[in-house]
Amino acid sequence: MTTDEGRRPEEPGTPASLREMPRDPRIDASMALMSEGYRFVSNLCDRMDSDAVATRLRLREVVCLRGSAAARLLYGAEGLTRVGAMPSTVLHLLQDKGSVQQLEGPAHRHRKALFLSICMDPARVEALVSEMRLAWRERLPAWEAEGRIVLQQEAARLLTRAGCRWAGVAHQPEAQLADEIFDMIDKAGSVGPRNWLAQMRRAGTEKRLRTLVEEVRAGEVVPEAATALHAIAFHREEDGTLLDPSVAAVELLNLLRPIVAVGRYITFAALALHRETTWRELFRSGNLELAGDFAEEVRRASPFFPFTAAVTTRPITWEGYDFPEGQWLLLDLYGTTHDPRHFPEPTRFRAERMLSWTGQDEAFIPQGAGDVARTHRCPGEMITVELMKEAIRLLCCEMDYEVPAQDLGVRLNRMPAQPRSGMILSAISRRAGTEASRNG
Ligand code: HEM
């Protein structure tokens, strides 16, 4: 890590750092971001032949970064904050004020420990996987009867059900909650009325969860001790106080929303199974030993979180560049996982790469990098991969289906991306001899 304090004297108006760093000649690159989407930072870096390029977005100075050295900076350096790093339209739908992602230092580590105790405990993760299996099997008879489903929507629904039961909030109005959470993820990258509507709906969701936390504390609702609702409702801050109920609601959503978001990866996994027939046949034969490698390659290859962002809270030096206080930094997650220097033939799906979230690799960063307990790295990687593995097994071993003609194209300037059709499956039937066929 090359980050330390100190900076050269500044000339008025131009931070010293930005004089030396390659600079995008355009006055503002916002239009390019909208049209290039996931490829925006990589295109810029390739054009300027550098992994660090200064530009402007919505007239704000920003340094665009990619690669493992930059990942070490955004996931490990002192003197950075996530506060003020995301547009408020994204923040209010994905994280919101008071959440763990908006904290730093000891307060962050203390709150993060709560998430690790919930998300990285193998027994709790297995309980969530069981809930998803149950919810999937419950939906199968309806899928058979309907004859045709949009997997992305169905996955969101059944993961909402599984996540709510697992977290101890099962009595929430399920279909409504599923739609609200789906919108939080789907509309985070949009601006204008679609985004405002999703923000209004999110405010309603938060209010219901806040009331629930208050009822738990008053003893009117008694969740099981192993649930996230119990852990969050009775979590104490470093000073011994309980979380403000609205912050507790935000953190509950910080579990439910990304669990539902895993449905997008499950959709991309189904797409990969459709295209990678050799792998599909291997899994259908019951040999699931390498389902984890397959899931990890889906995480690498599929467009999901395009970038992450931070702002410096004091002057820092990184790789010979001086960043002034208040410098906005954008790290290219998608571009880093598609960089041919790290992943040869990056556009080819190759589960043989044998990637793993446990490897702490700073180039394989679909959900962030670094020490999960001390940085903003996602605490949900174990959950994500385990849910994906189970979904692959359910798709291959517990059901038969066809993939009818449809538009499976993925537009890289829509964030978050998805197969355009949402992945339609038809002629669904339970495979004979499986648990699912016995339950129906
Ligand atoms: C659907 C797949 C997922 C993706 C693509 C994803 C992506 C990410 C990324 C990129 C970050 C880092 C943000 C930053 O740098 O500031 C993050 C943080 C976070 N994720 Fe995930 N995530 C996923 C699933 C999950 C799951 C399943 C959970 C929990 C159930 C979860 C909970 C969180 C939390 C609480 C944070 C904030 C951590 C902190 O600030 O210390 N995520 N996620």
Side-chain angles (χ1 to χ4, degrees):
M1 176 63 53
T2 52
T3 305
D4 52 37
E5 276 194 72
R7 90 205 248 215
R8 277 188 292 274
E10 239 180 75
E11 283 180 10
T14 322
S17 53
L18 305 185
R19 279 189 291 120
E20 290 173 19
M21 181 171 288
R23 193 174 176 88
D24 185 354
R26 293 169 293 200
I27 295 170
D28 190 276
S30 307
M31 294 297 281
L33 171 60
M34 282 178 46
S35 65
E36 296 169 28
Y38 286 85
R39 293 218 179 91
F40 166 70
V41 174
S42 275
N43 286 349
L44 182 61
C45 288
D46 288 346
R47 210 167 37 243
M48 305 302 293
D49 195 22
S50 168
D51 284 342
V53 180
T55 186
R56 279 173 162 210
L57 289 172
R58 292 197 198 170
L59 297 177
R60 184 178 175 191
E61 285 289 338
V62 60
V63 170
C64 294
L65 302 159
R66 72 172 171 191
S68 42
R72 282 197 292 280
L73 172 69
L74 268 89
Y75 293 95
E78 301 288 316
L80 297 181
T81 177
R82 260 58 176 169
V83 176
M86 273 198 240
S88 60
T89 46
V90 180
L91 177 73
H92 290 311
L93 291 184
L94 290 189
Q95 285 288 334
D96 226 338
K97 288 181 184 146
S99 77
V100 60
Q101 206 232 12
Q102 300 284 290
L103 303 173
E104 296 299 331
H108 173 259
R109 286 197 291 279
H110 184 76
R111 184 82 60 80
K112 192 70 178 278
L114 166 69
F115 279 92
L116 299 188
S117 71
I118 298 169
C119 299
M120 297 191 68
D121 169 354
R124 286 197 196 223
V125 175
E126 180 46 41
L128 176 59
V129 172
S130 297
E131 291 291 2
M132 185 188 76
R133 186 183 308 124
L134 186 68
W136 193 294
R137 286 176 179 164
E138 282 169 356
R139 285 297 291 157
L140 256 173
W143 294 353
E144 279 181 317
E146 283 162 26
R148 189 181 163 92
I149 62 157
V150 178
L151 182 63
Q152 183 164 301
Q153 281 169 10
E154 288 296 320
R157 285 258 156 104
L158 69 87
L159 282 164
T160 305
R161 173 175 289 192
C164 285
R165 284 176 182 165
W166 173 78
V169 297
H171 58 288
Q172 287 287 310
E174 206 172 275
Q176 183 188 340
L177 189 61
D179 290 346
E180 287 164 354
I181 293 179
F182 186 83
D183 267 7
M184 287 174 210
I185 303 156
D186 200 59
K187 307 294 184 293
S190 58
V191 286
R194 272 157 45 100
N195 182 283
W196 302 332
L197 191 62
Q199 287 203 43
M200 273 164 54
R201 298 183 81 184
R202 173 170 175 139
T205 323
E206 270 184 40
K207 193 161 171 265
R208 290 202 311 276
L209 292 176
R210 197 168 60 225
T211 305
L212 180 60
V213 169
E214 285 164 347
E215 286 166 354
V216 170
R217 287 180 183 164
E220 293 158 19
V221 172
V222 185
E224 280 180 32
T227 58
L229 174 59
H230 187 278
I232 290 175
F234 296 111
H235 173 74
R236 291 195 179 269
E237 297 277 65
E238 282 178 294
D239 63 5
T241 56
L242 293 169
L243 290 175
D244 184 278
S246 54
V247 173
V250 164
E251 297 299 34
L252 262 175
L253 263 182
N254 238 344
L255 291 170
L256 294 176
R257 188 203 58 254
I259 287 171
V260 176
V262 176
R264 266 171 206 265
Y265 272 151
I266 289 175
T267 306
F268 279 117
L271 179 60
L273 286 170
H274 172 57
R275 291 184 171 151
E276 306 295 323
T277 46
T278 313
W279 283 101
R280 187 176 70 225
E281 288 317 312
L282 177 73
F283 297 147
R284 277 177 64 80
S285 75
N287 183 346
L288 287 142
E289 216 177 300
L290 301 179
D293 294 350
F294 190 90
E296 294 286 24
E297 178 67 352
V298 170
R299 282 202 313 139
R300 184 199 67 80
S302 311
F304 202 148
F305 238 81
F307 327 107
T308 194
V311 176
T312 55
T313 53
R314 58 176 169 77
I316 61 172
T317 302
W318 171 81
E319 301 274 312
Y321 296 119
D322 289 344
F323 296 138
E325 179 182 335
Q327 176 66 60
W328 188 25
L329 306 170
L330 205 63
L331 169 67
D332 187 4
L333 300 177
Y334 178 79
T336 303
T337 58
H338 286 76
D339 187 333
R341 292 169 295 181
H342 298 293
F343 305 99
E345 299 187 278
T347 53
R348 275 193 59 196
F349 184 93
R350 288 180 47 207
E352 303 85 340
R353 294 180 210 269
M354 298 179 77
L355 300 168
S356 170
W357 65 273
T358 54
Q360 297 276 317
D361 179 341
E362 283 146 350
F364 179 48
I365 55 170
Q367 291 174 230
D371 176 356
V372 68
R374 303 179 65 83
T375 72
H376 289 287
R377 185 183 186 139
C378 178
E381 287 183 291
M382 181 192 273
I383 286 180
T384 303
V385 172
E386 291 306 314
L387 289 175
M388 289 172 76
K389 276 163 58 184
E390 180 60 11
I392 290 167
R393 195 193 65 75
L394 287 158
L395 283 165
C396 292
C397 301
E398 296 213 5
M399 56 196 272
D400 292 311
Y401 58 86
E402 288 169 12
V403 179
Q406 61 191 287
D407 185 353
L408 290 169
V410 178
R411 266 174 47 207
L412 286 180
N413 61 357
R414 186 204 192 276
M415 295 183 276
Q418 61 177 72
R420 214 171 270 184
S421 62
M423 193 79 206
I424 299 168
L425 309 183
S426 63
I428 297 168
S429 61
R430 284 167 282 181
R431 276 183 92 179
T434 63
E435 190 66 28
S437 66
R438 282 190 286 277
N439 280 354

